Amino acid sequence: MKKKAIIIIGVLILFSTFTFSGYSYIRVKYWDSLILPGVKIENEDLTGKTRKEAQTIINDKYASKVMKKKITIVTDEKKYIVDYKMVEAKYNVDQAVEQALTYGKDRNMFQKYKAITHPVSKQIKLTFEYNDKDVDKILKGIAKEIDKKAKNATIAKGSGGQFVVTNDVIGKQLEVDKLKNDIKSKIDVGVSKDDTYIKAAVKDIKPKISEAALKTINTRISSYTTNFGSSSEDRATNIALATGSINGKLLMPGDVFSFNDVVGERTTLRGYKAAGVIIGDKLEQGLGGGICQVSSTLYNAMLSTSIVSVERIHHTISSGYIPKGQDATVDYGNLDYKFKNTFEYPIYIEGLLSNGNIHFNIYSNSTLTKRTYEIVNEVSEPTDPKTETIQDPTMYQGQSEVVKTGYAGFKVKVTRKTYENGRLVNTEIINKDTFHVINEVKKVGTKK
């Protein structure tokens, strides 16, 4: 009797197990195409919803609303509206619904049954995306309207000899990167907030040359003059072209003046002529001959300030238009004359021609005239040239021809003395130059 009872109980348990398993399978199978209980997208409970139902709910509540949103960008002068449609902003609803629908479906039957009967909340976030290139395009259009180049003040000598200074203009520049980050942060919020406003950051661009700085130029601080009255017409043309290129040149503090950069290449197309020029140890014809007188005149005008040359090279032959050791030779692409404005004020260079003279006037602030300068050159070790004679049988006796002109050699030291209130306060050596002797070469005839 006892054995029979045990068998009956076992059968009942087995029957109950199969019955429960069947019931569980049917119930779990029912949820295969539905979102499990407790699954939410952005706090929207989607329990028991089909894919299509979930898509409709999320689209109505989020996707459709986001397309109506806009961001207002405000500047000092204008407002710009960025509609979310303009940047193709959207929620990835399909992806979120897919995630909700498949959540928990990879478990075994009993785990799924438990998830259905004893649900645990699962929160799924919507992802938000937009076309970044569209944002860049919008920003480019805004920047085009806002950006304004800074404009330098200008200075020129008026007909009455007074300086005329124009106003500078402060530029504007949209801080594009900052505005882009602000826009992206607002778009990424989605529909959780109302339409938003962004104050666009626009920075001022100061011009390099301000009106205030140019108005500090009020005094001539130095000048120098050389004469070219005996020059050929072609040489005078070259001098006029080079001087005209330098006239009106402005140097702000820290700027470096380059003669070759300012004057430019000496070419026939630019009007330069062939004239006498020192090449090596000879005086020959060369394009742009004479402009070394321009560079040397300017060099001496700068010597009578506290400016020190950045680059300066002397000729191989001493020039008659300038004191010994005070010349500055130039050759485009090879030799240059350079100096740096080490003043705290701008420098204005005036170059003029009159009655066969080159005049260079240097203008800056009147405070620089508290000191005066004296340039002293000391010549030593003079060496007279010798004459080398070449007998030429093709020339008659008594005939002669100078093949190379001789020039004396010497050393020269140039010193600048600085005075303040009539008292010597500084003595500095500007340069020590050596001019090597160049012997004369002469041909004499031997033919009878």
Side-chain angles (χ1 to χ4, degrees):
M1 188 71 181
K2 186 177 180 181
K3 185 177 180 181
K4 185 178 181 180
I6 292 172
I7 293 172
I8 293 172
I9 292 171
V11 170
L12 289 173
I13 291 173
L14 185 62
F15 177 77
S16 298
T17 300
F18 278 112
T19 302
F20 176 76
S21 296
Y23 172 77
S24 300
Y25 174 79
I26 293 171
R27 188 168 185 184
V28 169
K29 190 67 176 176
Y30 170 79
W31 287 88
D32 275 356
S33 60
L34 303 176
I35 296 173
L36 294 179
V39 178
K40 301 176 181 179
I41 296 179
E42 295 291 338
N43 291 319
E44 187 68 28
D45 192 345
L46 299 174
T47 299
K49 303 301 183 200
T50 64
R51 180 192 299 274
K52 188 174 182 180
E53 289 171 338
Q55 287 175 335
T56 301
I57 291 170
I58 301 303
N59 276 321
D60 288 346
K61 188 165 185 179
Y62 295 97
S64 60
K65 290 182 179 180
V66 78
M67 300 306 289
K68 299 175 182 178
K69 285 196 64 177
K70 60 180 180 293
I71 295 174
T72 302
I73 300 170
V74 182
T75 69
D76 291 337
E77 299 177 356
K78 193 174 179 180
K79 290 183 180 180
Y80 301 87
I81 306 298
V82 178
D83 193 302
Y84 276 37
K85 293 179 182 179
M86 297 166 63
V87 295
E88 301 177 23
K90 64 180 180 180
Y91 283 113
N92 199 328
V93 174
D94 291 344
Q95 182 181 331
V97 170
E98 175 67 20
Q99 188 180 348
L101 191 65
T102 58
Y103 175 73
K105 303 296 176 64
D106 58 344
R107 304 173 186 177
N108 61 43
M109 187 183 71
F110 294 104
Q111 289 172 328
K112 291 179 183 177
Y113 183 79
K114 184 179 179 181
I116 295 168
T117 57
H118 298 86
V120 177
S121 180
K122 170 63 178 177
Q123 184 72 249
I124 296 173
K125 299 292 291 182
L126 283 170
T127 58
F128 193 76
E129 57 187 38
Y130 51 88
N131 192 326
D132 198 61
K133 291 183 178 179
D134 285 340
V135 176
D136 290 337
K137 187 176 180 180
I138 291 169
L139 290 175
K140 186 177 180 180
I142 296 174
K144 187 176 181 180
E145 292 189 18
I146 292 177
D147 289 356
K148 181 173 64 176
K149 288 184 178 180
K151 185 178 180 181
N152 287 328
T154 63
I155 186 170
K157 288 288 290 293
S159 57
Q162 299 297 315
F163 283 112
V164 178
V165 178
T166 63
N167 298 331
D168 59 88
V169 177
I170 295 176
K172 300 287 183 182
Q173 186 177 61
L174 178 69
E175 294 189 39
V176 175
D177 290 341
K178 184 179 185 307
L179 180 56
K180 183 174 182 178
N181 289 333
D182 289 343
I183 291 174
K184 289 171 69 174
S185 68
K186 299 299 183 184
I187 293 178
D188 288 339
V189 171
V191 297
S192 59
K193 289 189 177 181
D194 296 330
D195 293 342
T196 54
Y197 289 81
I198 298 175
K199 175 66 175 177
V202 180
K203 62 181 178 182
D204 289 340
I205 305 298
K206 293 184 178 180
K208 180 187 175 183
I209 304 172
S210 69
E211 178 186 4
L214 295 189
K215 285 189 173 180
T216 64
I217 301 175
N218 53 24
T219 303
R220 185 175 67 182
I221 63 170
S222 177
S223 63
Y224 200 84
T225 300
T226 61
N227 182 268
F228 66 97
S230 60
S231 296
S232 66
E233 183 178 345
D234 288 345
R235 187 174 188 275
T237 296
N238 296 337
I239 287 173
L241 287 172
T243 303
S245 297
I246 299 170
N247 181 45
K249 179 64 180 176
L250 177 72
L251 293 179
M252 299 302 290
D255 285 353
V256 174
F257 175 93
S258 164
F259 186 92
N260 285 335
D261 287 349
V262 174
V263 173
E265 188 173 2
R266 280 67 89 178
T267 65
T268 53
L269 288 176
R270 299 184 65 229
Y272 283 93
K273 310 291 185 180
V277 60
I278 297 173
I279 301 177
D281 58 359
K282 293 182 180 180
L283 182 63
E284 300 181 2
Q285 292 291 302
L287 198 61
I291 65 168
C292 285
Q293 184 168 349
V294 179
S295 58
S296 295
T297 307
L298 177 60
Y299 171 60
N300 279 266
M302 298 311 303
L303 278 178
S304 292
T305 70
S306 62
I307 294 291
V308 177
S309 298
V310 173
E311 181 179 338
R312 173 263 170 188
I313 300 170
H314 66 86
H315 291 83
T316 53
I317 300 172
S318 180
S319 303
Y321 52 75
I322 213 82
K324 289 180 171 60
Q326 294 176 218
D327 60 323
T329 184
V330 289
D331 179 25
Y332 191 85
N334 297 304
L335 308 176
D336 202 357
Y337 166 51
K338 296 179 181 180
F339 63 87
K340 182 177 181 178
N341 179 10
T342 53
F343 298 144
E344 60 179 301
Y345 305 102
I347 292 174
Y348 180 90
I349 303 173
E350 180 182 44
L352 304 172
L353 300 181
S354 65
N355 300 321
N357 293 305
I358 307 172
H359 306 279
F360 274 113
N361 299 312
I362 312 301
Y363 293 88
S364 192
N365 190 259
S366 57
T367 58
L368 300 175
T369 60
K370 292 179 180 179
R371 291 189 168 191
T372 58
Y373 303 89
E374 178 188 6
I375 308 302
V376 179
N377 65 337
E378 301 174 56
V379 179
S380 62
E381 301 181 30
T383 304
D384 292 330
K386 297 178 181 179
T387 299
E388 299 176 10
T389 302
I390 300 174
Q391 293 185 345
D392 188 345
T394 64
M395 296 176 61
Y396 288 102
Q397 292 179 349
Q399 290 182 325
S400 64
E401 179 185 345
V402 176
V403 178
K404 181 193 291 186
T405 303
Y407 295 93
F410 56 89
K411 291 184 177 180
V412 59
K413 179 176 72 174
V414 178
T415 304
R416 177 163 57 195
K417 295 183 177 182
T418 304
Y419 297 88
E420 190 169 339
N421 298 323
R423 183 174 63 89
L424 180 65
V425 294
N426 187 47
T427 299
E428 60 182 321
I429 297 174
I430 298 299
N431 58 267
K432 293 181 178 180
D433 295 339
T434 299
F435 291 82
H436 297 286
V437 64
I438 299 174
N439 291 326
E440 181 183 77
V441 178
K442 182 169 65 173
K443 291 193 298 185
V444 295
T446 59
K447 183 179 180 180
K448 294 183 179 179

